[in-house]
Each structure stands twice: as C-alpha cells, then as structure tokens.
Amino acid sequence: MAEYNITALGIPLFLFFMLVEYAYLRIRGRDLHRFNDNIASLSMGICLLVSDALLKTFTFGVFIWAWSSHRLFDFASTSWLTWVVFFFGVDFCYYWFHRIAHTYNVLWGAHVGHHQSEEYNLTTALRQSAFQYAFSWVFYLPLAFLGCPPEVFLVQFLVLKAYQFWLHTQAIDRIPLMEGVFSTPSSHRVHHAKNPIYIDKNFGGTLVIWDRVFGTWQPEVAEHPCHYGTTTPLRTWNPVSANLQHWSMLFRDSLHTRSWWDKIRLWFKPTGWRPEDRRRKTTKLQKTGVKNRPKFDPEVSALTKLYCGLSFALLVLLVTMFIFLSPQLSARELAFGVVLILAGLVMISQFLEGKFKLRLVEVARVPALLWFLTVLWTLPISTQVSQKLELAELAPPQIEVPEETTLSALPWLEKPAVLSGNTPAVQHVTWHTNGTQGELEYTLSYELSSFPEHVANILSARSTLQEGSRSWLEKQL
C-alpha cells in the first residue's frame, strides 16, 4: 500500500471521538471546548500531518538504513520477546526525547506548540508542532542500531502515538491501579499544566515508570487544579505564528544581544534562558510556571464563526485527500497543496481574531481550493494485487491468461462492487523453480479513478481481489 499514506484514514476517527467527548461533557454540564481554540488546535494538527507526509519517507528511511547496515543484534519480528523488548525501548526513547525537548531552547521550539492551548480536551492531542518529527526521529536511532526490525518499530511507534490521544481529556478522572504506572489523563493533565508545581513533570508516553525512576513524577493534586497553556502566552490562532513562536523569540534575542557568544549558546541553553541584556521583568521563564490568567478569547460574530466552520470543513476534506494521495503527487502538486492548506488555515485564524484586512484573498483562495479538491477527488491511480504460491515442483502448471484483459472479462474473478466499469488490467503469470520447490506468481494491475475508490481499495477491494486470485490459482493446481 506504498502508493497511499494511510495516516489520513485516522482523521475521521479522531474527529468522531472529539465529537463524542464534546457531547458527553455538554451532557454533564461542563463547557470545556471553545470553537476558536478547537480550530486552532486542529489547524496545528493539520500542519503536523502535512509535514509528516513530506518527511516520513526520509526519517523512516534513515531508520531502515541504520538497521540494515549497522545493527548489532538480530531480532526476529515473529518473536514475542522482540515486541516486548522494543515496546519498552520505544517508550524509553520517547521519554528522553520528550524530556530533552522541554529542557533545551532549540528543541522546545519544536515542541512548544503542543502546550500552547489554554484548554485541555481531545483536540489538544492533535495540537503538535509541525517540526517535531524533524527532530524526534534521531532519538529512536539507537533502536535501529540495537536491531529493532523496522516493522516492529513502526507498529510500536504508532501504538505509542495512538495511546496518547485519549490522555488529553478532562472527562476521565483518576484511574485506580493505572496511576503511577501507565500514563493516564490525570498524569498527563499535570504535564500540560502551567502551575509552578506541575512544570516539567510526567514526560512518559505509555508508561510513567521512567518519570518515577528519573525523578520527574508528579501526581495531580486536588488543592492545585490544573490550568493550561504556556508561561509565555501565544495570543493568536495563527498556526504559522504558533509553530514559530519560540524560535522567533530566540532569533530576535540572538540578533539584538551584544555578546557573540550569547548569540550562539542561546539556542542550546536550558529552556527559558535568555541573555542578560535581553531579559524583561514581565517575561516569565518556562521553568518558573505562572498562576492562572484570563484566556485569549477575541469575540467575533456568529456569521464569522459559521464561515470559518464551513471553510475549515472543506480544508479537512482537502487535507485528508492530500495526505492520503501524497505519495502519488508531483513536487508541483505537493507544493501547491501545502501553500493552499496554509493559506486557508491562516485566513481562518485571522477571521477568528476579528481581522479582515486580507478578506479579498478569499476571492482567489476559495476557487483554487474547490479546483484542487476536484483534482484530488478524480485522481487516477494504478495499483496491483500480487499472489505467490509455493508448491512441490512436478510440472509447471498450464495456465492460459491473456496478456491484456479487463476485470469484467475474467469469469473466474469477481469484480468488487466499488470498482466501476471495465477497469483495465494486465496480468502476468510466472513460474519459478528452486530445487524441488516451485513458486507460482500472479499479478493483476488495475486502475482506480476516484478518491472513494482509493479508500474502498484499502478497506475492502484489495483484499477481495487477493482472495479471488488466490482461490483461482489454487483451483488451477
């Protein structure tokens, strides 16, 4: 399925759980969602998904290279011991990435976006820095050198990230038996709080045993209810500004401080450190934490919110298709998609702040968005289904299949309903011998002509074709 980025299939699922949380909290009389903050958090999540779609091949490719060429040990991906060992290994590496990202200025700039929201709900889980994965992959390379199979690492990493989604809620109180061992909503609320007692605590991903071992454990205390956000408030819904907030401050400090040594070491000093001549009495350092304060919440009309909501819904549809189809897009299409997505997010954030100076940009942006939606919806993709069967070598099976045919012309292969028309297909049947064994290989190529077909191919059509072709091969032997 390398022709798709199936990460996009999780977007509707995440949105569903967010709506469930919202409904549950409203029924319980708790208003813990704000429209503008939710849009801002989801906008940050979109930026991360787009950057991940562009960076994933490189970052995971480095892991595969390190494992292939420089691993010290061989672990079988079929062994349960491998999965247990590297479950703890992945979680351990995440703990140290997470802790170091809170410790040094340059890495805090790639993580601070996750902490900027002044609310705490499931939308916060997707509020991530677009640059985080550009740094975090380095912390997992030791696993490749130790021999962690790439498929094991990928599954464990996805499990780690999926587990953290449900931690970002106030709908779940403390959980007996889990607290102090596994990460829970309670322990992770502590991590996100800006109260002085909670700053830089509970870095664990799936487990918090590392926090207990390395002295960063702090349980939630009833006398200190959590209040959220960063010690230096963001005060904008703009996801581009949010991603660059800390680094822009570091850049200004390095530009204006008089000491050349401070210009360099500023980036690598502990979080919150600033040159002496750039410190301001009103600036709170990250390590100190702050008391509760009024939230950033500019008022806009209901009509503005409606327009922003509809615009954002269209963007979510575009982003889902863009990420899903990204392996098939040209560099020009990728660049155009990124610019279009960022422009939409910035315009929505501006309107939610009551700023309308750029409203004429919508005259060009909206038609461009609708056009690109149509392009992605109707993007044709050629894909394949292959089967291999090993059998004792007696004689090559006599199977006659035309070199070119169509799915509908093959009476032995039922065409899935999701594939429309006489889909062009090319088949190849090859017979390989190896000693006393032989291998029969069959390949069926077919074309998908719309986004719904692409999704259906992943969810059902591919498996239907695989099963149909396997059954046919077995009948010929």
Side-chain angles (χ1 to χ4, degrees), residues 320-339:
T320 302
M321 291 193 290
F322 178 77
I323 294 172
F324 185 74
L325 299 171
S326 58
Q328 293 287 332
L329 301 180
S330 66
R332 182 180 299 178
E333 290 169 328
L334 289 172
F336 182 78
V338 170
V339 170

Side-chain angles (χ1 to χ4, degrees), residues 25 83 90 99 106 129 131 138 175 232 282 305 334 357 364 439:
L25 289 171
W83 290 88
V90 169
R99 181 170 177 175
V106 65
S129 168
F131 305 106
V138 176
I175 304 175
T232 301
T282 57
K305 290 182 179 180
L334 289 172
K357 292 182 179 179
E439 182 181 72

Side-chain angles (χ1 to χ4, degrees), residues 362-381:
E362 295 292 86
V363 176
R365 185 189 72 84
V366 173
L369 182 145
L370 295 175
W371 172 79
F372 200 51
L373 275 172
T374 304
V375 169
L376 296 183
W377 188 271
T378 57
L379 184 71
I381 292 179

Side-chain angles (χ1 to χ4, degrees), residues 137-278:
W137 63 275
V138 176
F139 290 82
Y140 298 100
L141 280 183
L143 301 177
F145 294 123
L146 290 174
C148 177
E151 64 271 23
V152 174
F153 167 73
L154 183 60
V155 171
Q156 299 280 25
F157 182 76
L158 291 176
V159 169
L160 170 71
K161 301 308 290 184
Y163 180 89
Q164 292 179 10
F165 176 73
W166 78 286
L167 303 180
H168 297 82
T169 185
Q170 298 182 64
I172 301 174
D173 206 347
R174 293 173 60 87
I175 304 175
L177 302 181
M178 288 186 66
E179 302 294 343
V181 179
F182 291 93
S183 289
T184 65
S186 175
S187 66
H188 206 63
R189 286 194 290 269
V190 165
H191 177 71
H192 273 260
K194 63 179 183 291
N195 313 45
I197 188 178
Y198 295 144
I199 284 289
D200 289 344
K201 301 295 183 182
N202 300 359
F203 296 107
T206 304
L207 304 169
V208 292
I209 57 175
W210 316 117
D211 290 290
R212 299 176 75 89
V213 170
F214 298 110
T216 53
W217 167 249
Q218 171 62 54
E220 190 174 17
V221 181
E223 292 77 19
H224 295 277
C226 297
H227 47 86
Y228 305 102
T230 49
T231 55
T232 301
L234 178 62
R235 305 195 67 78
T236 182
W237 305 128
N238 189 324
V240 176
S241 299
N243 273 292
L244 300 176
Q245 180 199 23
H246 192 69
W247 285 343
S248 62
M249 185 193 75
L250 295 178
F251 178 77
R252 289 193 302 271
D253 283 352
S254 63
L255 188 65
H256 294 291
T257 187
R258 291 186 297 271
S259 168
W260 282 97
W261 176 230
D262 284 348
K263 291 176 185 292
I264 299 173
R265 66 172 180 160
L266 163 67
W267 297 82
F268 307 100
K269 292 291 284 184
T271 310
W273 187 91
R274 306 186 71 185
E276 186 69 33
D277 58 356
R278 291 294 295 167

Side-chain angles (χ1 to χ4, degrees), residues 290-301:
V290 292
K291 296 180 179 179
N292 206 359
R293 61 172 178 249
K295 297 175 181 178
F296 176 68
D297 193 18
E299 292 186 8
V300 295
S301 68

